[in-house]
Every structure is written in structure tokens, then in C-alpha cells.
Amino acid sequence: MKHPFAAWLTALASASLVTPAAAQTREEPIGSAHPGKESPQNFAAEVRFAAFNPDVDSDPSLRGQTPYKDTFGTSPRLEIGLELDWQAVRIPHLGTIGPGVSAGYTRASDPARFQTEHNGTLISGEQTTLEIFPFYGVIVLRGDALWRDLGVPLVPYGKLGLGYALWHASNSLGTSSANGVSGEGSSLGTQVSLGLALNLNPFDAYAAQNFDDALGVNNSYLFAEWTRSDLDGLGLQKNVLRVGGTGWTFGLAFEF
Amino acid sequence: MASLVRSASALAIAGGAFLASRLASAQTVTPTQQVYPERFENGVDLGPSTRPVNLNPYGVNYTDCIGDMVLQFNLTLDGFTGSQNMQIWATANGDCTATGTRGIANVPQCWELEGALTEPVIGTPVTKSFNVRVRDLVGPENAVPNPPVVVNEGVDACSAQTTFAGVPITIWFLPLDLMGNSIGTPYSDTINTDLVGPPPPVGIGETVGDSLFNVTWTANTDADTTGYDVFVDPPPGSTATAPVAVSDATAGPVASLYCPDSGTSSVTTVATDDASDDASDDATTTTTVASVDAGCFYVYTGGASASGTVSNMGTCTSTNLSGALTVDSGATVVDEAGVVSAGGGISTIPCTYVLGVGSSCYLEGGETVTGESTSEYTIKGLTDGTTYDVVVASVDGSGNVGPPSSCVHDYPAPVTDFWATYRASGGEAGGSFCALDAVGLPVGSAGLLGGLATAFLTAVRRRRRGKR
């Protein structure tokens, strides 16, 4: 006799394998108060904004020194990003799962410091900048059963995958260089996120239906997400600038 | 019989009048294939334009006037029977065909230029060259000679224009009868003359970094400015000339004001060895190379810096300098209060101090920065520890460089940027975007990610195919 939990898992897996979300066209409510036809839903897109502080100073090779903090301070910088998810598989009474990719950009820039005091100040007219172009590829699980089955407009979700960032340190003269080493590189690591999205459809079901009719957007969300990007090289990279970080991301998401 | 004679006489008079009128209307002055007048300076043909296409290339600017440029018009004349003249007139009011505009029973609005043909006989079309001096063209603009005379202007003509907006001046090549009436078909060409540069930018500020100098200013809002020239002294890559004391800026021993002086900055004495072994009686030749600079700077002469350490003392408009800053011998860049008060005018700083200008001002003398709204520029490639004087002048659409702003001066100094701090702290990252190479793998981490993504997508597709 099978364990009930194992049976549930099996059923779940079978259902997920035979029910690709891309093939579905369902007549389900767009907004709980306004039943109507819904267009096929295969993808999700996110516009992401985060207050970001990279973990540069966590590098053990720095032995407790804090070059990032010393240069740019502790104030977080705005990170913007776009994410596109393919909701490849729909798991009934749970949600969707599929791959997602994201690209973003953030930069920290402040005046460089004179090596010795200059006219009574150490602040120079030269800018020193660290630009980071974070990318990640993740598996995204969106648990929209609360909304679809119970009408609660909340969608918890999780993402897990690999993170990768290109970074570029520069000053007013161009790419920085120290001891013959140019300030550019890439960092690899892990990416994990947990978030909660608030479905906006119930707040204006009529507009939501029009949005779907006109552009095929099924659901619109506001979301808050805890994100951990641990770009430590994964053991594959010997020397890594730790440009990942932990923080909160907010934004808008659309399923279509 | 008498009536017959009268009739014949009347017919003859009428026929003569008709013929005369036909002859009078036959004088023509027409352009050749030449579209724009050829430009000459000191007898050298500079072509139809001496400026880039964005800088009023076929107009006249201050530099053209100072260089005593001549505009050569090649025109074809025909139908002159010896009882007409061909005169050249210019006006800022558009028309010189009416007699009144040329001072006949009226206040003249046109002035006559050199090159007239007196009672020429030209029976078949002949091409002739007419030279118009730029100075003659622009000099009488605001003081048209009355009574009219043929003008022959000097260099003062280049300063006659009173507005920094361009003034179109029309040149007329007029066939005239002996009474001065316009006859036949004249030719005219209108040339935009702009001899006044825009007003200088204000609010000059500066900061420095490692081998760089940022200069900022308040962007002009006039209708003339199209960009700015940034002057730096010494030019990047050159060696500063030895400063010569001009006056003490303050009573104390802290600092003295120095301005490189014209005519004394570089003195070279060469001795010519004669037959005797006594060097003291060798003839010597002393060569003095004048230097011109764009501003002033302070040099510490007292206290702990007695050896003459160069140090910034703030901008030239600071109270330290007020009343002390005098005319710089080479180029008047600021008045005694440290500011330029002119509302227009022309910079007298040699173009070789314009950033980015090489040996040829004509060929390489473009604007340093374009766009009136621009308000900053970073000068790179400087030497740390060397004090640089910097002024900014506005440039108009004709390439006139206006008077310079007040000057700022400072010296670049080494800085420590984030990357230097990181590496100095023990960080070992960097050097290449292909960071996986650091551990000996033949592919970059981007390649690894790409491979992972490809593998994932392939797996998904296989699963979906298998279920069909």
C-alpha cells in the first residue's frame, strides 16, 4: 500500500506532466467579482526595483577591511531589473512552475578620495564607480492556487537557480586599474528568492478584463520579494568580487 | 514737306529712344558657375569656405576680418557700351538699386566698395573677378559714409559690429547709367556677417582628480551661443613656462600672484664660437619667445613651502584676488575685479590654448564642446602637481569665440578609487570578464551559464515531446 503522501506526490507529478500550462485556455474569473473569459497564460514578466548593497566587503581575502563601505558608504543603491518567466507547467491546485531569466543593472558612484589632502579636503572631483549587471536563471514556482481556487488575491512564490553578474569598476578616466589588474570581471553564484504577490485584478475587475482582452494580460501583481544572491564563485571561480547581496525587491508583475 | 520732315524727325527720335532704352536694359551682371565667392588671405586661395559646415562656412566671422580676407566674385558682364558704369555696393538693409539708398538726394543706406568699372565697353560676355575685402564689407555697417565714398577700412572695422547676432549684408554689382540710375540686370549676393562672439559663461567652478580637471559653468541662454571653447594653460602635454612675478596679491608672506608674462617667459641665448679659444668674446644671439597664457595662479613663497610649491588658491574671483589681478600681458582674460564685464566681443587668447587644438587653428580649431546647454567639461591627460589655468569662452554659430570667463586654476593630484582601495585591501578579483580562466578552465563563466541554460531547455523539450 502506498503512503498517502507518496500517492499525492505521484498524482501531482502526473498531473503536472500532462497539463502544460501553455496548452490551457480556461474560462475562469479574471477578477473575483467579474467572471469572464481568460486568454491563455504562459508567461510572467516582472519589473523589479531593489535597494541593493553588494556583499563586496564579505570577501574573506579582505580580512575584515571594507573597501566598498569606505568608498561608497552604506546607503543602498537602486537596482532595476527585468524578469521573464515561462510558466511551462501548471500543477493543479498549486500553481505554475517553469524557468525564468532576469537581467538588471545597478551602480554605485561617489567622488574618489585624494591620496593626500588637497586644498583642505580629501574629496576629489573624480568619480569612482562600480557598475554591476546581474543576471540569473532560476526555476520559478508560483503558488496561485490561493487566488484561483479560493479567491484570495495573494500568490506566494519562490525562485531558485544560478546567479551571474558582470561588473565594471571605473573612474573618470575609464576602467580602473590597480597593479596592472583592470577593474572588470564576472561573478557566479546562487540565487534564491521568496516573495508574495498581490493580485490587482480584484481591485478593478473590469479594467483587468479589458487588459486581458486587449493585451492578453491575465493578472497584474504588486510584489515584495526577499532575494539572496550569493555570488561567491561556486568553487569554480578562484577570486571573486562578491557583487551579490541580500535585500528586498519590489515591483510589478504581469502574467500573460 | 515740313510735316514730312517733322514726322521723320519724330520717328528718328522715337527710334533712337527705343534703341537707347534697349541698349540700357541690355547690361547684365550674372554669376558664373561659382556658387560661393572664393576666399583669399595674403594672396592664398583658401577655397569657398574656411570653416566646418556647422559654423556658417560661407559667412564672415571675426577671424576672416582680422585676416583681411578677400571675397572674390567671378561674374560675367555683357552689354556695356561705354556709357554705363558697373559699381559694387553693400548694405545691411537689403537693397541698393534705388538711387536714394546710395545717397542720391537721400541719406545713404549703402556704401560703395572698391572694384567699380567706369564706362566699360563690353560687347560680348566677359568674365571678370571682383575682390571684396571683408573689412570693407563690415566696417561701415553702422556708420555708412555720407556723402558716399569708396570705403577702404582698416582693422578697426572688425570691431565695428555691435551685436553678437549675425548681420546679413548684401553685395550689389550694379550696372548704372551715367546719372547713377540702376539699369540692366544687377547681381546681388547676401553674406551673413557675424563678428562678435557670444558673452562669456559665468559661474565658473572647478574640481580636480588624478590627471584631470573638471571645469563647470552656468550655461548661456542667449540666442548666439552654440558651444564653448575650453582654454587650458599650459596645454595638456606641454611644459609650463616659468612664472614671472607680477605683483604681490596680499601683504603677507603667504603667497604671491604670478602671471606668465609675454616676451620674457623663454629666453634662449646662443653663443657662436669664433676662431679664438676665448669663449668670452664669442658673439651671442638672444632669442626671446613670447608666451601668452590664459590666466594667473598663485605660488606659495612663504612658510613651510618656501621652495615654491604650487598650490591652488581658489578661483580668480575670490576675495584674495580681488583688486590684485591685473591684465595678463599675453591675453586680457580678466579685469581687475577678476571678471570679464563685456557683453560680447572676441577672445584674444591664441587658439593653440583651446583644448584639442593642434598645430593648425584653421583645420583643428573646432569647438571643444557643443551645445549651449552644456555646462561642464573634463580635461584629461594632465600632469599631477602642475597648476593649470582654465577659462571657458562661448562660441557662436559662425565660429567666433567670445571673451573668456573668469579663470580657475588648480592642480590635479592622485586619488584612490574603489578599485585601488579594493586591491590594496587584499582583494584579488578582476582582470577579465572571463573569470573562470583564472582556475584553468578553457571557457568563461558566461559560457558555463549558457551551457546550463541550453541543457535545461533541452531537457524540458524532451519531456514535452515524450508526452505527445
Short mmCIF file of all heavy atoms in Angstrom, two decimals, chain B residues 262-295:
data_model
loop_
_atom_site.label_atom_id
_atom_site.label_comp_id
_atom_site.label_asym_id
_atom_site.label_seq_id
_atom_site.Cartn_x
_atom_site.Cartn_y
_atom_site.Cartn_z
N SER B 262 54.33 88.01 -21.19
CA SER B 262 54.66 87.95 -22.60
C SER B 262 56.05 88.50 -22.83
O SER B 262 56.43 89.53 -22.30
CB SER B 262 53.66 88.77 -23.41
OG SER B 262 54.03 88.79 -24.75
N GLY B 263 56.83 87.83 -23.61
CA GLY B 263 58.13 88.34 -24.03
C GLY B 263 59.27 87.99 -23.12
O GLY B 263 60.43 88.23 -23.45
N THR B 264 59.00 87.42 -21.96
CA THR B 264 60.10 87.11 -21.06
C THR B 264 60.06 85.67 -20.58
O THR B 264 60.86 85.28 -19.75
CB THR B 264 60.06 88.03 -19.83
OG1 THR B 264 58.81 87.85 -19.19
CG2 THR B 264 60.25 89.47 -20.23
N SER B 265 59.16 84.93 -21.05
CA SER B 265 58.99 83.60 -20.48
C SER B 265 60.02 82.60 -21.00
O SER B 265 60.30 81.62 -20.34
CB SER B 265 57.59 83.09 -20.79
OG SER B 265 57.44 82.99 -22.18
N SER B 266 60.55 82.83 -22.15
CA SER B 266 61.50 81.88 -22.69
C SER B 266 62.61 82.64 -23.40
O SER B 266 62.40 83.22 -24.47
CB SER B 266 60.80 80.93 -23.66
OG SER B 266 61.74 80.07 -24.24
N VAL B 267 63.75 82.68 -22.77
CA VAL B 267 64.87 83.42 -23.33
C VAL B 267 66.00 82.43 -23.62
O VAL B 267 66.45 81.72 -22.74
CB VAL B 267 65.37 84.51 -22.37
CG1 VAL B 267 66.57 85.24 -22.97
CG2 VAL B 267 64.25 85.48 -22.05
N THR B 268 66.39 82.37 -24.86
CA THR B 268 67.45 81.45 -25.26
C THR B 268 68.64 82.26 -25.77
O THR B 268 68.50 83.10 -26.66
CB THR B 268 66.95 80.52 -26.37
OG1 THR B 268 65.76 79.88 -25.92
CG2 THR B 268 68.00 79.48 -26.70
N THR B 269 69.78 82.01 -25.17
CA THR B 269 70.99 82.71 -25.61
C THR B 269 71.93 81.69 -26.24
O THR B 269 72.28 80.68 -25.62
CB THR B 269 71.68 83.40 -24.44
OG1 THR B 269 70.76 84.33 -23.85
CG2 THR B 269 72.92 84.14 -24.90
N VAL B 270 72.31 81.96 -27.46
CA VAL B 270 73.19 81.05 -28.18
C VAL B 270 74.50 81.77 -28.48
O VAL B 270 74.50 82.88 -29.04
CB VAL B 270 72.54 80.59 -29.50
CG1 VAL B 270 73.47 79.66 -30.27
CG2 VAL B 270 71.22 79.89 -29.21
N ALA B 271 75.61 81.17 -28.11
CA ALA B 271 76.92 81.75 -28.39
C ALA B 271 77.50 81.12 -29.65
O ALA B 271 77.42 79.92 -29.86
CB ALA B 271 77.86 81.51 -27.22
N THR B 272 78.04 81.96 -30.50
CA THR B 272 78.65 81.49 -31.73
C THR B 272 80.17 81.42 -31.53
O THR B 272 80.81 82.43 -31.26
CB THR B 272 78.33 82.43 -32.90
OG1 THR B 272 76.92 82.56 -33.00
CG2 THR B 272 78.90 81.89 -34.20
N ASP B 273 80.70 80.24 -31.59
CA ASP B 273 82.12 80.03 -31.31
C ASP B 273 82.96 80.67 -32.42
O ASP B 273 82.79 80.38 -33.61
CB ASP B 273 82.40 78.52 -31.22
CG ASP B 273 83.76 78.27 -30.61
OD1 ASP B 273 84.33 79.22 -30.02
OD2 ASP B 273 84.25 77.14 -30.73
N ASP B 274 83.88 81.57 -32.02
CA ASP B 274 84.73 82.18 -33.04
C ASP B 274 86.08 81.47 -33.08
O ASP B 274 86.28 80.44 -32.44
CB ASP B 274 84.86 83.68 -32.80
CG ASP B 274 85.47 83.98 -31.44
OD1 ASP B 274 86.08 83.06 -30.84
OD2 ASP B 274 85.33 85.12 -30.95
N ALA B 275 87.00 82.06 -33.79
CA ALA B 275 88.28 81.39 -34.01
C ALA B 275 89.13 81.32 -32.75
O ALA B 275 89.97 80.42 -32.60
CB ALA B 275 89.05 82.10 -35.12
N SER B 276 88.94 82.25 -31.87
CA SER B 276 89.78 82.24 -30.67
C SER B 276 89.28 81.21 -29.67
O SER B 276 88.13 80.75 -29.74
CB SER B 276 89.76 83.63 -30.03
OG SER B 276 88.52 83.84 -29.40
N ASP B 277 90.14 80.88 -28.76
CA ASP B 277 89.74 79.93 -27.73
C ASP B 277 89.00 80.61 -26.59
O ASP B 277 88.50 79.95 -25.69
CB ASP B 277 90.98 79.21 -27.18
CG ASP B 277 91.60 78.31 -28.23
OD1 ASP B 277 90.85 77.87 -29.13
OD2 ASP B 277 92.82 78.07 -28.17
N ASP B 278 89.01 81.91 -26.64
CA ASP B 278 88.38 82.64 -25.55
C ASP B 278 86.87 82.71 -25.79
O ASP B 278 86.40 83.40 -26.69
CB ASP B 278 88.96 84.06 -25.47
CG ASP B 278 88.40 84.82 -24.28
OD1 ASP B 278 87.63 84.20 -23.49
OD2 ASP B 278 88.71 86.02 -24.16
N ALA B 279 86.16 81.98 -24.96
CA ALA B 279 84.71 81.93 -25.17
C ALA B 279 84.03 83.24 -24.80
O ALA B 279 82.92 83.52 -25.26
CB ALA B 279 84.11 80.80 -24.33
N SER B 280 84.73 84.03 -23.99
CA SER B 280 84.06 85.23 -23.51
C SER B 280 83.84 86.27 -24.61
O SER B 280 83.00 87.15 -24.46
CB SER B 280 84.86 85.87 -22.37
OG SER B 280 86.12 86.30 -22.85
N ASP B 281 84.58 86.14 -25.69
CA ASP B 281 84.38 87.13 -26.74
C ASP B 281 83.53 86.59 -27.89
O ASP B 281 83.43 87.21 -28.95
CB ASP B 281 85.73 87.64 -27.28
CG ASP B 281 86.53 86.53 -27.97
OD1 ASP B 281 86.09 85.35 -27.87
OD2 ASP B 281 87.55 86.84 -28.58
N ASP B 282 82.93 85.40 -27.67
CA ASP B 282 82.05 84.87 -28.70
C ASP B 282 80.81 85.74 -28.83
O ASP B 282 80.28 86.25 -27.83
CB ASP B 282 81.60 83.44 -28.36
CG ASP B 282 82.75 82.45 -28.51
OD1 ASP B 282 83.79 82.85 -29.07
OD2 ASP B 282 82.59 81.30 -28.05
N ALA B 283 80.36 85.89 -30.04
CA ALA B 283 79.12 86.63 -30.26
C ALA B 283 77.94 85.82 -29.75
O ALA B 283 77.93 84.59 -29.82
CB ALA B 283 78.96 86.92 -31.75
N THR B 284 77.00 86.49 -29.19
CA THR B 284 75.81 85.79 -28.69
C THR B 284 74.56 86.31 -29.38
O THR B 284 74.47 87.48 -29.74
CB THR B 284 75.65 85.97 -27.16
OG1 THR B 284 75.54 87.36 -26.88
CG2 THR B 284 76.85 85.38 -26.42
N THR B 285 73.64 85.41 -29.52
CA THR B 285 72.33 85.77 -30.07
C THR B 285 71.27 85.38 -29.06
O THR B 285 71.22 84.23 -28.60
CB THR B 285 72.07 85.02 -31.38
OG1 THR B 285 73.13 85.33 -32.29
CG2 THR B 285 70.74 85.43 -31.99
N THR B 286 70.48 86.33 -28.68
CA THR B 286 69.43 86.06 -27.70
C THR B 286 68.08 86.03 -28.39
O THR B 286 67.73 86.95 -29.11
CB THR B 286 69.43 87.12 -26.60
OG1 THR B 286 70.69 87.11 -25.95
CG2 THR B 286 68.32 86.84 -25.58
N THR B 287 67.39 84.95 -28.17
CA THR B 287 66.06 84.81 -28.76
C THR B 287 65.02 84.80 -27.65
O THR B 287 65.14 84.04 -26.68
CB THR B 287 65.95 83.49 -29.55
OG1 THR B 287 67.00 83.48 -30.53
CG2 THR B 287 64.60 83.37 -30.24
N THR B 288 64.09 85.65 -27.76
CA THR B 288 63.02 85.71 -26.77
C THR B 288 61.73 85.20 -27.41
O THR B 288 61.29 85.71 -28.44
CB THR B 288 62.80 87.14 -26.27
OG1 THR B 288 64.01 87.60 -25.69
CG2 THR B 288 61.68 87.17 -25.22
N VAL B 289 61.19 84.18 -26.80
CA VAL B 289 59.95 83.61 -27.31
C VAL B 289 58.81 84.09 -26.41
O VAL B 289 58.81 83.84 -25.21
CB VAL B 289 60.01 82.07 -27.31
CG1 VAL B 289 58.69 81.48 -27.80
CG2 VAL B 289 61.16 81.61 -28.19
N ALA B 290 57.95 84.81 -27.00
CA ALA B 290 56.82 85.32 -26.23
C ALA B 290 55.88 84.19 -25.84
O ALA B 290 55.67 83.27 -26.61
CB ALA B 290 56.06 86.37 -27.04
N SER B 291 55.36 84.27 -24.66
CA SER B 291 54.35 83.29 -24.26
C SER B 291 53.10 84.04 -23.85
O SER B 291 53.15 85.15 -23.36
CB SER B 291 54.85 82.44 -23.08
OG SER B 291 54.79 83.17 -21.90
N VAL B 292 52.03 83.42 -24.11
CA VAL B 292 50.74 84.01 -23.75
C VAL B 292 49.98 82.96 -22.96
O VAL B 292 49.97 81.79 -23.32
CB VAL B 292 49.95 84.36 -25.03
CG1 VAL B 292 48.63 85.00 -24.65
CG2 VAL B 292 50.76 85.27 -25.91
N ASP B 293 49.38 83.38 -21.89
CA ASP B 293 48.66 82.37 -21.14
C ASP B 293 47.24 82.82 -20.89
O ASP B 293 46.84 83.91 -21.28
CB ASP B 293 49.37 82.07 -19.82
CG ASP B 293 48.99 83.07 -18.75
OD1 ASP B 293 48.91 84.29 -19.07
OD2 ASP B 293 48.75 82.65 -17.64
N ALA B 294 46.48 81.96 -20.29
CA ALA B 294 45.07 82.22 -20.14
C ALA B 294 44.68 82.63 -18.73
O ALA B 294 43.51 82.70 -18.42
CB ALA B 294 44.27 80.98 -20.54
N GLY B 295 45.61 82.90 -17.88
CA GLY B 295 45.20 83.27 -16.54
C GLY B 295 46.36 83.38 -15.60
O GLY B 295 47.51 83.49 -16.00
#
